[in-house]
Amino acid sequence: MEIIIERDKETGSKLAARIIASQIKKKPDSVLGLATGSTQLTLYKELIELHKTEELDFSSVISFNLDEYVGLSPEHKSSYHSYMWNNFFNHINIKNHRVHIPNGIAPDIEDHCKQYEGAIKAAGGIDLQLLGIGSDGHIGFNEPTSSLSSRTRIKTLTQKTIMDNSPLFKDNEEIPRHVITMGVGTIMESKTCLLLAFGKQKAEAVKLMVEGPISSDAPATILQMHQKAIIIIDEEAASSLKRADYYKWVYSNKPDWQKYS
Ligand code: F6R
C-alpha cells in the first residue's frame, strides 16, 4: 500500500487526476473502474479540466462503474448513471458504447451481474480501479461482513450508508436499500487500485484500512493484500494514523523514477 497524505481535497484530487491521466497516456484504451460519491466530484472536475486544457483523450477508454441503486432507472436523476453523465461523461470525449454501469432495473439481477463480470473479463480486466471508502470501511458497496472474495451481486446497504449517501440524493426521496456492486474479489483483480478519502469523517475508516487487521468487518482492509494500492488522503483523513509521519517520509524520499509526473 502506498499512502500519500496531501494537504487537502484539492491537491489530493489533482494528484489523482495526474495518475489517471498518465495511465491513459500510457495505454489509451485503458479499462478504468470508476466510483461515484461526493469524494470523486473534485477529481472528475480535474479530469474534465485536463481534457479541455491538455487534450486528455478518453476516446478509447473503456469504463466500468462500481455500483448502481437497485430500482432506479438509468434516467432517474439520483441514479449513478445520472451522476456519471452529469458530472463527468458529458464533459469529456468518452464513447457511449464503452461506458458500463450496472443496470438498477435489470429484470434478472443475478444474470445481469454475471454478464457484468463477463464484460470486465472480455475487456481484459480493469487497469485502474478508482475507489472511495465508506465511513464503515466499505469499498464499492461491499458493506461490513461482505465476503472478501465476492463478485458483482446485489447487496443491502447499511442504515449508516443510507444516511451518508442522502446528501447526493435529490428531492428527499427514499433512498433504495439495495445496490448492485462489484465484489471485493472483482475489485482485487484490478491491476491498480486508487482510493481517495478526504475529511475527518473518514479518519477512522482510513486507520482501519491501513493499519487495522484484515477483516471482512471493514472490507477496505483487504487492500493491504492488493499488488498495487495507492491511497490518497488529506491531513484530516490521516489524523488517526499511527504512522502518518513515516508515510510522509516515504513519499518525500521516493526515487525520481518512481514519482508520479
Ligand atoms: C460509490 C462507492 C462507494 C463510495 C463511498 C464513499 O460508487 O463505491 O464506496 O465511494 O461510499 O462515498 P462518499 O465519497 O460520498 O463519501
Side-chain angles (χ1 to χ4, degrees):
M1 245 184 191
E2 178 177 24
I3 318 298
I4 305 176
I5 304 174
E6 285 285 327
R7 192 179 59 238
D8 52 32
K9 184 181 196 157
E10 280 65 39
T11 55
S13 302
K14 270 195 200 320
L15 175 62
R18 285 280 163 210
I19 292 173
I20 294 173
S22 78
Q23 167 69 43
I24 296 172
K25 283 178 195 155
K26 205 168 58 198
K27 184 178 177 232
D29 59 347
S30 284
V31 181
L32 300 183
L34 296 176
T36 56
S38 43
T39 307
Q40 314 299 345
L41 291 170
T42 318
L43 166 68
Y44 289 141
K45 283 201 183 104
E46 286 297 332
L47 286 170
I48 293 167
E49 197 55 27
L50 291 181
H51 170 64
K52 289 193 173 139
T53 58
E54 296 182 19
E55 292 172 9
L56 179 61
D57 183 10
F58 291 86
S59 61
S60 302
V61 164
I62 300 170
S63 74
F64 286 91
N65 262 77
L66 279 166
D67 32 43
E68 179 58 287
Y69 288 112
V70 170
L72 298 195
S73 68
E75 298 74 34
H76 191 285
K77 53 188 179 313
S78 300
S79 71
Y80 286 148
H81 276 79
S82 296
Y83 170 108
M84 289 307 298
W85 285 97
N86 294 337
N87 294 304
F88 191 33
F89 296 150
N90 281 334
H91 311 282
I92 56 170
N93 64 337
I94 196 162
K95 298 269 170 34
N96 203 327
H97 67 275
R98 293 203 167 94
V99 167
H100 304 81
I101 306 176
N103 178 5
I105 52 165
D108 182 340
I109 290 184
E110 241 180 276
D111 184 59
H112 179 63
C113 293
K114 265 196 204 121
Q115 290 193 25
Y116 203 71
E117 288 278 333
I120 294 173
K121 267 208 183 84
I126 292 172
D127 292 303
L128 186 151
Q129 176 65 57
L130 178 65
L131 296 166
I133 184 170
S135 57
D136 60 3
H138 68 229
I139 46 173
F141 280 115
N142 297 285
E143 297 283 33
T145 71
S146 286
S147 155
L148 297 180
S149 59
S150 51
R151 313 302 308 187
T152 303
R153 69 215 183 291
I154 188 169
K155 281 297 291 179
T156 307
L157 295 173
T158 62
Q159 285 162 296
K160 174 87 172 70
T161 300
I162 290 175
M163 267 174 54
D164 287 351
N165 287 1
S166 57
L168 282 185
F169 227 79
K170 312 260 173 9
D171 299 340
N172 289 327
E173 270 175 287
E174 205 182 321
I175 303 182
R177 295 175 184 186
H178 297 102
V179 286
I180 294 172
T181 179
M182 276 187 208
V184 181
T186 321
I187 293 169
M188 286 297 282
E189 277 172 15
S190 57
K191 296 177 188 89
T192 298
C193 281
L194 175 61
L195 185 144
L196 310 186
F198 306 118
K200 189 88 193 148
Q201 72 283 7
K202 297 292 170 74
E204 281 315 302
V206 165
K207 182 182 171 43
L208 263 180
M209 167 177 69
V210 177
E211 296 172 343
I214 296 173
S215 161
S216 66
D217 200 43
T221 57
I222 194 70
L223 292 174
Q224 293 174 28
M225 299 284 289
H226 194 276
Q227 56 183 342
K228 188 170 183 204
I230 307 167
I231 314 294
I232 302 181
I233 53 182
D234 65 358
E235 291 284 356
E236 287 190 0
S239 58
S240 298
L241 290 173
K242 192 166 61 186
R243 297 193 173 84
D245 287 343
Y246 173 63
Y247 309 137
K248 287 181 183 172
W249 163 258
V250 171
Y251 189 58
S252 64
N253 283 289
K254 211 169 152 140
D256 280 347
W257 62 270
Q258 268 193 337
K259 283 186 180 149
Y260 301 115
S261 46

Short mmCIF file of all heavy atoms in Angstrom, two decimals, residues 34-41 65-68 80 83 130-136 138-142 161 164-165 168 181 187 196 198 201-202, ligand 1:
data_model
loop_
_atom_site.label_atom_id
_atom_site.label_comp_id
_atom_site.label_asym_id
_atom_site.label_seq_id
_atom_site.Cartn_x
_atom_site.Cartn_y
_atom_site.Cartn_z
N LEU A 34 -14.67 2.96 -12.23
CA LEU A 34 -15.00 4.30 -11.71
C LEU A 34 -15.94 4.22 -10.52
O LEU A 34 -16.70 3.26 -10.36
CB LEU A 34 -15.60 5.16 -12.82
CG LEU A 34 -14.64 5.44 -13.99
CD1 LEU A 34 -15.35 6.21 -15.09
CD2 LEU A 34 -13.39 6.19 -13.53
N ALA A 35 -15.87 5.26 -9.70
CA ALA A 35 -16.68 5.33 -8.48
C ALA A 35 -17.53 6.59 -8.51
O ALA A 35 -17.23 7.54 -9.24
CB ALA A 35 -15.76 5.35 -7.26
N THR A 36 -18.56 6.61 -7.70
CA THR A 36 -19.39 7.81 -7.55
C THR A 36 -19.18 8.35 -6.12
O THR A 36 -18.21 8.01 -5.47
CB THR A 36 -20.87 7.47 -7.79
OG1 THR A 36 -21.23 6.43 -6.89
CG2 THR A 36 -21.11 7.04 -9.22
N GLY A 37 -20.10 9.17 -5.65
CA GLY A 37 -20.00 9.71 -4.29
C GLY A 37 -19.41 11.10 -4.28
O GLY A 37 -18.83 11.56 -5.28
N SER A 38 -19.52 11.78 -3.15
CA SER A 38 -19.07 13.17 -3.09
C SER A 38 -17.55 13.30 -3.18
O SER A 38 -17.03 14.28 -3.73
CB SER A 38 -19.60 13.86 -1.83
OG SER A 38 -19.46 13.00 -0.74
N THR A 39 -16.82 12.29 -2.71
CA THR A 39 -15.35 12.34 -2.75
C THR A 39 -14.83 12.56 -4.17
O THR A 39 -13.85 13.27 -4.36
CB THR A 39 -14.77 10.99 -2.24
OG1 THR A 39 -15.34 10.73 -0.96
CG2 THR A 39 -13.27 11.02 -2.15
N GLN A 40 -15.48 11.94 -5.15
CA GLN A 40 -14.91 11.93 -6.51
C GLN A 40 -15.24 13.19 -7.32
O GLN A 40 -14.69 13.38 -8.40
CB GLN A 40 -15.39 10.69 -7.29
CG GLN A 40 -15.34 9.38 -6.53
CD GLN A 40 -13.94 8.98 -6.08
OE1 GLN A 40 -12.94 9.53 -6.56
NE2 GLN A 40 -13.84 8.06 -5.14
N LEU A 41 -16.12 14.04 -6.81
CA LEU A 41 -16.57 15.17 -7.63
C LEU A 41 -15.43 16.11 -8.03
O LEU A 41 -15.36 16.55 -9.18
CB LEU A 41 -17.68 15.95 -6.89
CG LEU A 41 -19.00 15.18 -6.76
CD1 LEU A 41 -19.96 15.91 -5.81
CD2 LEU A 41 -19.65 14.98 -8.14
N ASN A 65 -18.39 1.15 -14.02
CA ASN A 65 -18.67 1.71 -12.69
C ASN A 65 -18.84 0.62 -11.66
O ASN A 65 -19.24 -0.51 -11.97
CB ASN A 65 -19.91 2.60 -12.74
CG ASN A 65 -19.52 4.05 -12.85
OD1 ASN A 65 -19.15 4.49 -13.94
ND2 ASN A 65 -19.56 4.77 -11.75
N LEU A 66 -18.55 1.00 -10.44
CA LEU A 66 -18.61 0.04 -9.33
C LEU A 66 -20.02 -0.41 -9.00
O LEU A 66 -20.24 -1.56 -8.65
CB LEU A 66 -18.05 0.70 -8.06
CG LEU A 66 -16.55 0.74 -7.87
CD1 LEU A 66 -16.20 1.73 -6.76
CD2 LEU A 66 -16.00 -0.64 -7.55
N ASP A 67 -20.98 0.55 -9.08
CA ASP A 67 -22.27 0.22 -8.48
C ASP A 67 -23.43 1.06 -8.99
O ASP A 67 -23.23 2.08 -9.65
CB ASP A 67 -22.18 0.34 -6.95
CG ASP A 67 -21.19 1.42 -6.51
OD1 ASP A 67 -21.21 2.50 -7.12
OD2 ASP A 67 -20.40 1.17 -5.59
N GLU A 68 -24.62 0.60 -8.66
CA GLU A 68 -25.86 1.33 -9.01
C GLU A 68 -26.96 0.92 -8.05
O GLU A 68 -26.97 -0.20 -7.54
CB GLU A 68 -26.26 1.01 -10.47
CG GLU A 68 -27.54 1.67 -10.96
CD GLU A 68 -27.54 3.21 -10.90
OE1 GLU A 68 -27.65 3.74 -9.77
OE2 GLU A 68 -27.46 3.83 -11.97
N TYR A 80 -26.79 6.44 -10.32
CA TYR A 80 -25.37 6.66 -10.56
C TYR A 80 -25.08 6.84 -12.05
O TYR A 80 -24.06 7.43 -12.41
CB TYR A 80 -24.54 5.53 -9.94
CG TYR A 80 -24.47 5.65 -8.43
CD1 TYR A 80 -24.38 4.53 -7.61
CD2 TYR A 80 -24.49 6.90 -7.82
CE1 TYR A 80 -24.32 4.65 -6.23
CE2 TYR A 80 -24.43 7.03 -6.44
CZ TYR A 80 -24.34 5.91 -5.66
OH TYR A 80 -24.28 6.03 -4.28
N TYR A 83 -25.45 10.54 -12.25
CA TYR A 83 -24.27 11.14 -11.60
C TYR A 83 -23.10 11.14 -12.59
O TYR A 83 -22.42 12.15 -12.79
CB TYR A 83 -23.94 10.35 -10.34
CG TYR A 83 -22.61 10.69 -9.68
CD1 TYR A 83 -22.56 11.39 -8.48
CD2 TYR A 83 -21.39 10.27 -10.24
CE1 TYR A 83 -21.34 11.69 -7.86
CE2 TYR A 83 -20.18 10.57 -9.64
CZ TYR A 83 -20.15 11.27 -8.45
OH TYR A 83 -18.95 11.56 -7.85
N LEU A 130 -10.74 3.13 -9.51
CA LEU A 130 -10.91 4.25 -8.59
C LEU A 130 -11.86 3.82 -7.47
O LEU A 130 -12.89 3.19 -7.73
CB LEU A 130 -11.50 5.43 -9.38
CG LEU A 130 -11.80 6.70 -8.61
CD1 LEU A 130 -10.51 7.32 -8.06
CD2 LEU A 130 -12.51 7.70 -9.54
N LEU A 131 -11.52 4.20 -6.23
CA LEU A 131 -12.36 3.82 -5.09
C LEU A 131 -12.52 4.99 -4.13
O LEU A 131 -11.62 5.82 -3.98
CB LEU A 131 -11.71 2.67 -4.31
CG LEU A 131 -11.52 1.33 -5.00
CD1 LEU A 131 -10.57 0.45 -4.19
CD2 LEU A 131 -12.87 0.62 -5.16
N GLY A 132 -13.67 5.02 -3.44
CA GLY A 132 -13.81 5.83 -2.24
C GLY A 132 -13.91 4.84 -1.09
O GLY A 132 -13.81 3.63 -1.29
N ILE A 133 -14.11 5.33 0.10
CA ILE A 133 -14.31 4.42 1.25
C ILE A 133 -15.48 4.92 2.08
O ILE A 133 -15.62 6.13 2.29
CB ILE A 133 -13.01 4.30 2.10
CG1 ILE A 133 -13.17 3.28 3.23
CG2 ILE A 133 -12.56 5.65 2.64
CD1 ILE A 133 -11.86 2.93 3.95
N GLY A 134 -16.32 4.00 2.50
CA GLY A 134 -17.43 4.39 3.36
C GLY A 134 -16.93 4.60 4.79
O GLY A 134 -15.88 4.07 5.16
N SER A 135 -17.67 5.35 5.57
CA SER A 135 -17.23 5.57 6.96
C SER A 135 -17.24 4.26 7.75
O SER A 135 -16.63 4.15 8.81
CB SER A 135 -18.09 6.64 7.64
OG SER A 135 -19.44 6.26 7.58
N ASP A 136 -17.92 3.22 7.22
CA ASP A 136 -17.90 1.90 7.87
C ASP A 136 -16.87 0.96 7.25
O ASP A 136 -16.85 -0.24 7.52
CB ASP A 136 -19.30 1.25 7.82
CG ASP A 136 -19.81 1.04 6.40
OD1 ASP A 136 -19.06 1.34 5.43
OD2 ASP A 136 -20.95 0.58 6.24
N HIS A 138 -16.52 0.31 3.92
CA HIS A 138 -16.88 -0.39 2.68
C HIS A 138 -16.09 0.14 1.49
O HIS A 138 -15.67 1.30 1.48
CB HIS A 138 -18.40 -0.34 2.41
CG HIS A 138 -18.97 1.00 2.07
ND1 HIS A 138 -20.09 1.51 2.68
CD2 HIS A 138 -18.61 1.93 1.15
CE1 HIS A 138 -20.39 2.70 2.16
NE2 HIS A 138 -19.50 2.98 1.22
N ILE A 139 -15.88 -0.71 0.49
CA ILE A 139 -15.41 -0.29 -0.83
C ILE A 139 -16.42 -0.83 -1.82
O ILE A 139 -16.97 -1.91 -1.61
CB ILE A 139 -13.96 -0.78 -1.16
CG1 ILE A 139 -13.77 -2.26 -0.81
CG2 ILE A 139 -12.92 0.09 -0.52
CD1 ILE A 139 -12.43 -2.84 -1.27
N GLY A 140 -16.65 -0.09 -2.94
CA GLY A 140 -17.85 -0.38 -3.71
C GLY A 140 -18.97 -0.26 -2.69
O GLY A 140 -18.92 0.59 -1.81
N PHE A 141 -19.98 -1.12 -2.79
CA PHE A 141 -20.92 -1.17 -1.66
C PHE A 141 -20.83 -2.52 -0.97
O PHE A 141 -21.83 -3.13 -0.60
CB PHE A 141 -22.33 -0.79 -2.09
CG PHE A 141 -22.47 0.71 -2.18
CD1 PHE A 141 -22.71 1.33 -3.39
CD2 PHE A 141 -22.31 1.50 -1.05
CE1 PHE A 141 -22.79 2.71 -3.47
CE2 PHE A 141 -22.39 2.89 -1.12
CZ PHE A 141 -22.63 3.50 -2.34
N ASN A 142 -19.59 -2.96 -0.79
CA ASN A 142 -19.34 -4.17 -0.02
C ASN A 142 -19.30 -3.77 1.45
O ASN A 142 -18.28 -3.31 1.96
CB ASN A 142 -18.02 -4.80 -0.47
CG ASN A 142 -18.11 -5.23 -1.92
OD1 ASN A 142 -18.75 -6.24 -2.23
ND2 ASN A 142 -17.53 -4.44 -2.82
N THR A 161 -24.86 3.83 5.80
CA THR A 161 -24.53 4.22 4.42
C THR A 161 -25.70 4.98 3.80
O THR A 161 -25.50 5.97 3.09
CB THR A 161 -24.18 2.96 3.58
OG1 THR A 161 -23.05 2.32 4.17
CG2 THR A 161 -23.86 3.31 2.14
N ASP A 164 -25.40 8.39 5.08
CA ASP A 164 -24.22 9.07 4.49
C ASP A 164 -24.49 9.49 3.05
O ASP A 164 -23.97 10.49 2.58
CB ASP A 164 -22.99 8.13 4.50
CG ASP A 164 -22.40 7.95 5.90
OD1 ASP A 164 -22.83 8.67 6.82
OD2 ASP A 164 -21.52 7.07 6.06
N ASN A 165 -25.27 8.67 2.31
CA ASN A 165 -25.49 8.95 0.89
C ASN A 165 -26.59 9.98 0.66
O ASN A 165 -26.74 10.47 -0.46
CB ASN A 165 -25.88 7.66 0.15
CG ASN A 165 -24.70 6.73 -0.02
OD1 ASN A 165 -23.60 7.04 0.43
ND2 ASN A 165 -24.91 5.60 -0.66
N LEU A 168 -26.43 13.35 -1.57
CA LEU A 168 -26.41 13.32 -3.04
C LEU A 168 -27.76 12.88 -3.61
O LEU A 168 -27.94 12.79 -4.82
CB LEU A 168 -25.31 12.40 -3.55
CG LEU A 168 -23.87 12.94 -3.53
CD1 LEU A 168 -22.92 11.94 -4.17
CD2 LEU A 168 -23.75 14.28 -4.23
N THR A 181 -23.35 -4.12 -6.81
CA THR A 181 -21.96 -3.65 -6.64
C THR A 181 -20.96 -4.70 -7.11
O THR A 181 -21.19 -5.90 -6.95
CB THR A 181 -21.68 -3.29 -5.16
OG1 THR A 181 -20.31 -2.87 -5.05
CG2 THR A 181 -21.88 -4.46 -4.19
N ILE A 187 -12.88 -6.26 -7.39
CA ILE A 187 -12.02 -5.08 -7.20
C ILE A 187 -10.55 -5.51 -7.06
O ILE A 187 -9.65 -4.90 -7.63
CB ILE A 187 -12.48 -4.29 -5.94
CG1 ILE A 187 -13.85 -3.68 -6.18
CG2 ILE A 187 -11.45 -3.23 -5.54
CD1 ILE A 187 -14.53 -3.10 -4.95
N LEU A 196 -9.39 7.27 -2.80
CA LEU A 196 -9.35 8.64 -2.27
C LEU A 196 -10.24 8.74 -1.03
O LEU A 196 -11.33 8.17 -1.00
CB LEU A 196 -9.88 9.65 -3.30
CG LEU A 196 -9.34 9.59 -4.73
CD1 LEU A 196 -9.89 10.76 -5.54
CD2 LEU A 196 -7.83 9.62 -4.74
N PHE A 198 -11.18 11.91 1.94
CA PHE A 198 -10.91 13.25 2.45
C PHE A 198 -11.85 13.56 3.61
O PHE A 198 -13.02 13.18 3.60
CB PHE A 198 -11.14 14.28 1.34
CG PHE A 198 -10.34 14.00 0.08
CD1 PHE A 198 -10.99 13.74 -1.13
CD2 PHE A 198 -8.95 13.97 0.11
CE1 PHE A 198 -10.26 13.46 -2.29
CE2 PHE A 198 -8.22 13.69 -1.04
CZ PHE A 198 -8.87 13.44 -2.25
N GLN A 201 -14.38 12.80 8.79
CA GLN A 201 -15.37 11.71 8.91
C GLN A 201 -14.85 10.39 8.33
O GLN A 201 -15.45 9.34 8.57
CB GLN A 201 -16.71 12.12 8.26
CG GLN A 201 -16.76 12.18 6.75
CD GLN A 201 -16.09 13.42 6.15
OE1 GLN A 201 -15.47 14.22 6.84
NE2 GLN A 201 -16.20 13.59 4.83
N LYS A 202 -13.71 10.43 7.62
CA LYS A 202 -13.15 9.20 7.07
C LYS A 202 -11.94 8.71 7.87
O LYS A 202 -11.37 7.66 7.57
CB LYS A 202 -12.73 9.42 5.60
CG LYS A 202 -13.88 9.75 4.65
CD LYS A 202 -14.81 8.58 4.45
CE LYS A 202 -16.09 8.90 3.73
NZ LYS A 202 -15.97 9.13 2.31
C1 F6R B 1 -19.55 4.73 -4.83
C2 F6R B 1 -18.89 3.74 -3.98
C3 F6R B 1 -18.77 3.97 -2.51
C4 F6R B 1 -18.29 5.37 -2.16
C5 F6R B 1 -18.23 5.54 -0.64
C6 F6R B 1 -17.79 6.93 -0.25
O1 F6R B 1 -19.54 4.33 -6.18
O2 F6R B 1 -18.48 2.74 -4.45
O3 F6R B 1 -17.91 3.01 -1.95
O4 F6R B 1 -17.04 5.58 -2.72
O5 F6R B 1 -19.49 5.28 -0.10
O6 F6R B 1 -18.79 7.84 -0.61
P1 F6R B 1 -18.54 9.42 -0.49
O7 F6R B 1 -17.50 9.76 -1.48
O8 F6R B 1 -19.87 10.03 -0.86
O9 F6R B 1 -18.13 9.67 0.91
#
